[in-house]
Amino acid sequence: MSIGKFTHAVFSPSLAILITSFAHAQSSTPSSNEAGSYHVSQTFHVGGEGGWDYLTVDPEHKLLYVPRSTHTMVLEANTGKTIADIPGQKRNHGVALVPSAGRGFITDGEDASVTVFDLKTYAVLGKVKTADDSDGVIYDPASGKVLVVCGDAGVMIPISPDLDLATGKADAAVELGGKPEFLAADGQGKAYINLVDKDQVAVVDTKAMKVVDKWPTAPGGSPVGMSMDPARRRLFIGCRKPQKLIVMGADDGKVLADLAIGAGVDATKFSNDAFASCGDGTLTVARETAGKFQVVQTVQTPRGARTMGIDPTTHTLYLPTAEFGPPSEGQTRPRPKPGTFMIVVVSPSAK
């Protein structure tokens, strides 16, 4: 993620924010929601070195791709067992999978590049140069491109998934006019990108590769998490200042709802329901009923569980975090304890 770079990806918010947001969550969420439709069903104690950021789920093969700063772990989604570890990154952030090309793509913010690997052997095939602070990444089927947003550079860079890694280059960068964080695509030729420093969503025509609109996220600000319900044309935007889950129409930018969430949100996901994962240890579940949106549950998770991936076939969520010790001298945020990295699994009640 671009905001705060590595430290924001690893460390949880300050104790004061945690206490305040927890109290808010308790006061704004009905007690009946404590026994709602989602629960922490498993915790995989993975261990290993490195921080963490966006987690990507391969629903077909039941795999989790987990960036760990300098390497990317591949885990079995059902057991948490490590089946591969992809080396060679400096400060990684996210993974996009393109099965049709047999390749995966890992963004590396410090190296200003994308690491390309083989989806069968997990061997590193090469790198593609991008721009400073390569961060969020997705595959857009409408354009047939891997889309990489680069926070410090303020651009989106398209990459052909079958690019010749010896001689090829990424496509021309799309100037966004702000600092991008994460993005979603509708599969029909539009991509939606949070501009965290502008409190806006940039709309990109992914066939022409140009910005065609910008929509304000007010009353939410500092937008970071982004996901989409493509069927109903809804965007779900996780905002930090103030703490809101913004529901936005994907055709006109109209804000349809603003829902209170916890502190330190990093990711949103959609699969039947909408989810916002927050570093204060809350996972907000929101639902649309008869055109109205409301928070239906707040799941308590370990602190630091601020990003997530989701399996759309089972509606199971996977949240990376670790155990935390007290802050070191001169620091305000607690530090993760070595070897305590874990994946928290949140499942529907039937699971």
Side-chain angles (χ1 to χ4, degrees), residues 199-200 215-221 239 242 244 246 248 253-255 257-258:
D199 296 345
Q200 292 178 333
W215 299 329
T217 59
C239 294
K244 296 280 189 181
I246 298 297
M248 179 180 288
K254 181 181 178 181
V255 173
D258 62 283

Side-chain angles (χ1 to χ4, degrees), residues 98-148:
V98 188
S100 61
R103 289 176 169 183
F105 299 79
I106 307 167
T107 53
D108 190 333
E110 186 171 322
D111 193 51
S113 69
V114 168
T115 297
V116 184
F117 66 94
D118 186 282
L119 286 179
K120 291 183 178 180
T121 67
Y122 307 110
V124 174
L125 302 176
K127 291 191 175 186
V128 180
K129 192 66 178 176
T130 52
D132 290 345
D133 193 20
S134 299
D135 193 356
V137 58
I138 61 172
Y139 175 65
D140 171 40
S143 64
K145 303 286 186 179
V146 175
L147 305 180
V148 178

Side-chain angles (χ1 to χ4, degrees), residues 67-351:
R68 299 297 308 279
S69 301
T70 59
H71 59 111
T72 298
M73 304 180 79
V74 186
L75 311 178
E76 288 184 347
N78 294 328
T79 66
K81 178 183 177 181
T82 301
I83 65 168
D85 206 343
I86 304 166
Q89 298 105 65
K90 293 182 178 179
R91 194 185 73 245
N92 55 24
H93 290 289
V95 182
L97 309 176
V98 188
S100 61
R103 289 176 169 183
F105 299 79
I106 307 167
T107 53
D108 190 333
E110 186 171 322
D111 193 51
S113 69
V114 168
T115 297
V116 184
F117 66 94
D118 186 282
L119 286 179
K120 291 183 178 180
T121 67
Y122 307 110
V124 174
L125 302 176
K127 291 191 175 186
V128 180
K129 192 66 178 176
T130 52
D132 290 345
D133 193 20
S134 299
D135 193 356
V137 58
I138 61 172
Y139 175 65
D140 171 40
S143 64
K145 303 286 186 179
V146 175
L147 305 180
V148 178
V149 291
C150 304
D152 290 347
V155 299
M156 184 193 80
I157 296 180
I159 300 173
S160 296
D162 57 354
L163 178 75
D164 185 327
L165 296 172
T167 61
K169 297 181 179 180
D171 295 352
V174 179
E175 296 287 341
L176 299 174
K179 189 171 186 175
E181 180 71 12
F182 203 70
L183 68 167
D186 65 0
Q188 300 177 24
K190 293 290 190 303
Y192 306 89
I193 305 170
N194 287 326
L195 301 182
V196 65
D197 60 336
K198 302 296 185 182
D199 296 345
Q200 292 178 333
V201 171
V203 184
V204 174
D205 182 325
T206 63
K207 295 179 180 178
M209 288 301 171
K210 66 178 183 179
V211 176
V212 294
D213 217 334
K214 289 182 179 179
W215 299 329
T217 59
S222 295
V224 288
M226 170 68 79
S227 59
M228 185 175 186
D229 174 358
R232 294 186 179 182
R233 309 287 297 170
R234 315 297 201 205
L235 302 175
F236 300 95
I237 304 161
C239 294
R240 291 181 176 171
K241 298 179 181 178
Q243 299 161 198
K244 296 280 189 181
L245 176 63
I246 298 297
V247 184
M248 179 180 288
D251 295 316
D252 56 9
K254 181 181 178 181
V255 173
L256 305 174
D258 62 283
L259 307 173
I261 59 174
V265 64
D266 248 4
T268 70
K269 294 295 178 183
F270 177 82
S271 182
N272 283 352
D273 295 317
F275 305 88
S277 52
C278 303
D280 64 355
T282 58
L283 173 68
T284 300
V285 184
R287 186 171 298 159
E288 179 179 1
T289 303
K292 295 184 178 181
F293 298 85
Q294 62 178 341
V295 173
V296 295
Q297 189 181 358
T298 300
V299 181
Q300 298 301 315
T301 61
R303 63 176 177 170
R306 61 198 301 160
T307 65
M308 60 181 159
I310 193 165
D311 184 334
T313 65
T314 63
H315 315 299
T316 301
L317 297 109
Y318 302 87
L319 296 84
T321 189
E323 296 178 14
F324 290 84
S328 301
E329 186 176 354
Q331 294 182 329
T332 59
R333 290 188 175 92
R335 298 186 66 85
K337 297 178 180 179
T340 65
F341 178 74
M342 68 185 88
I343 304 292
V344 177
V345 184
V346 176
S347 305
S349 291
K351 299 292 182 180

Side-chain angles (χ1 to χ4, degrees), residues 33-64:
N33 287 339
E34 294 302 315
S37 56
Y38 296 90
H39 66 287
V40 175
S41 58
Q42 296 184 81
T43 300
F44 302 141
H45 295 281
V46 179
E49 297 182 355
W52 60 89
D53 205 344
Y54 303 117
L55 183 153
T56 297
V57 180
D58 176 351
E60 180 181 358
H61 300 99
K62 302 304 178 186
L63 298 174
L64 310 178

